[in-house]
Amino acid sequence: MSTNGSSSTAVSRRILLSSLAGLAVAGGVGAYEIHKANRPPRKQPDGQYRQLKITWPNAATAPVLAVAYQKDFFSRYSLDVDTVGSPKNGHEALDLLASGQTGFAVAPALTWLTRLHGGLDASLIMGIQPGVFRLLVRRGSGITRLDQLVGRPVAVTDQNAADKLFFAIMMRRKGINAMDGVNWKNLPAADVLDAANRKEIDAVVAHDPLTWQLLSQNGGLFSELVSSNTGHYADRVNLVLGVANSALNADPDAATAMALTLRDAAKWTNIHRDEAATLVADDTPGLSADSVLQMLQSEPAIRPVAGRPLREQIAQYCDELQLISLLPATESASDLAKRYTRNVLRG
């Protein structure tokens, strides 16, 4: 009798637990459905023909942009897009946006945020691809750790470049004041190799394709100390699409179409890196298609982001710029990110 009673009780408990689990799942699904119902609908392209302008640093060697043009992604969204100017860095690209010569610009997130804080009237709408920052050290310099860079000559192609800010943030997290403690030497890209051969610099901070050329050529003169291509940095976007607020307010559907185009082109580039390498090789001096492919394969996965994921990543960047006193610490990073981003893919 006691055995049967115990069995009956166990069955009853299983039935009860099963019922409670079913209620919990049903409640969870119901809450999820309510959340979905309250979210604005995803915007669809309106199909209208538009002539737009965009500026992009080093556009000739930008794989996603090459794919957008040569694989007709722009035309899929009824866009006729002109690339404006020949900016060598993010600041030059944002100068073109600020002067009204273009409505759209792509630049590193760190560059965007310093300019937005400075009053640039624009919004970030799509993260295109991750960073490809590399810190290379000259073989024979004896540098094997970041703290050994303090007081040493390190080449940068631009004192305000995102490359420098990225590694200054990385070093600050390790308690190193790189902004003041490193001897940053401003050098044109063409002069970096000669300076290294003359031992006038011990390291260089830059991004691909320059750093890939320095690393893969020149008889092993350089080795990579750290980069943005590994760890949690590899999961974050670097190049970000932004739009002037005047252009966004005048034609929000244009921003949607541009964001969708570059999102699709970025996804295609990630999957077809071999073909993307071929598309940009002709415009990348000193690098063959095979070398460009090796470079792309060494870089992180391309995961375009918008909406909340973009806002969260921008908040991380804001927090990091606060660490090196380039954004005010009096306002939360999440509030700054909300101010600087817009979701053009939701109605």
Side-chain angles (χ1 to χ4, degrees):
M1 292 292 292
S2 60
T3 302
N4 291 340
S6 175
S7 175
S8 175
T9 301
V11 171
S12 298
R13 285 176 178 170
R14 286 198 296 272
I15 292 172
L16 176 61
L17 290 173
S18 177
S19 299
L20 290 173
L23 288 172
V25 170
V29 170
Y32 176 69
E33 291 300 328
I34 291 172
H35 174 70
K36 282 180 63 179
N38 289 333
R39 292 173 66 188
R42 181 170 292 277
K43 290 189 68 174
Q44 299 298 320
D46 62 9
Q48 292 186 26
Y49 172 78
R50 290 179 172 87
Q51 290 181 305
L52 302 176
K53 295 179 180 180
I54 191 171
T55 184
W56 196 308
N58 302 303
T61 60
V64 173
L65 184 60
V67 166
Y69 275 120
Q70 299 186 47
K71 291 297 177 180
D72 295 326
F73 281 95
F74 285 125
S75 63
R76 295 182 190 183
Y77 289 95
S78 303
L79 299 182
D80 181 1
V81 177
D82 287 331
T83 303
V84 176
S86 300
K88 296 179 181 178
N89 55 51
H91 282 287
E92 290 185 4
L94 298 187
D95 286 342
L96 293 170
L97 184 79
S99 66
Q101 296 180 59
T102 178
F104 295 87
V106 169
L110 291 170
T111 304
W112 268 114
L113 290 170
T114 57
R115 295 293 294 272
L116 290 169
H117 173 60
L120 180 64
D121 190 20
S123 297
L124 307 180
I125 60 174
M126 173 70 66
I128 305 297
Q129 67 181 68
V132 287
F133 303 132
R134 302 181 196 265
L135 195 163
L136 310 183
V137 296
R138 178 178 54 79
R139 292 191 187 276
S141 65
I143 297 173
T144 58
R145 303 188 314 270
L146 286 173
D147 64 323
Q148 294 173 324
L149 291 168
V150 175
R152 307 289 282 272
V154 178
V156 289
T157 58
D158 179 356
Q159 288 289 349
N160 297 315
D163 320 76
K164 173 185 172 182
L165 299 182
F166 174 83
F167 289 108
I169 290 166
M170 180 182 286
M171 294 171 72
R172 182 66 183 85
R173 289 199 179 281
K174 296 181 179 295
I176 305 166
N177 181 3
M179 296 294 283
D180 298 325
V182 172
N183 179 15
W184 301 103
K185 297 194 67 172
N186 200 40
L187 287 176
D191 295 344
V192 170
L193 182 59
D194 287 341
N197 281 321
R198 292 193 299 266
K199 299 183 180 180
E200 295 174 356
I201 60 170
D202 290 330
V204 57
V205 161
H207 55 273
D208 291 348
L210 173 60
T211 46
W212 180 257
Q213 289 175 294
L214 293 172
L215 188 62
S216 61
Q217 301 171 4
N218 310 307
L221 177 63
F222 292 99
S223 63
E224 184 177 289
L225 183 63
V226 289
S227 77
S228 63
N229 299 340
T230 58
H232 68 278
Y233 294 113
D235 295 327
R236 292 164 58 179
V237 296
N238 166 44
L239 291 181
V240 178
L241 170 68
V243 56
N245 283 332
S246 57
L248 179 60
N249 294 333
D251 188 358
D253 287 325
T256 300
M258 182 69 81
L260 289 171
T261 296
L262 294 180
R263 180 201 64 180
D264 293 355
K267 290 180 177 180
W268 191 97
T269 303
N270 187 58
I271 298 171
H272 304 91
R273 295 195 181 203
D274 52 346
E275 193 168 348
T278 302
L279 294 178
V280 301
D282 292 341
D283 294 316
T284 309
L287 288 177
S288 65
D290 286 341
S291 186
V292 174
L293 177 58
Q294 291 174 20
M295 178 184 74
L296 294 180
Q297 289 175 335
S298 77
E299 297 173 357
I302 299 174
R303 302 186 185 94
V305 294
R308 181 176 178 180
L310 174 62
R311 188 170 67 248
E312 290 173 344
Q313 291 195 29
I314 293 301
Q316 289 179 314
Y317 279 120
C318 289
D319 178 71
E320 290 167 345
L321 285 170
Q322 288 173 330
L323 281 177
I324 57 174
S325 303
L326 290 183
L327 283 184
T330 54
E331 192 167 0
S332 75
S334 61
D335 287 344
L336 290 170
K338 288 178 183 178
R339 182 189 308 163
Y340 296 145
T341 58
R342 291 278 293 274
N343 188 354
V344 299
L345 301 186
R346 291 288 175 186

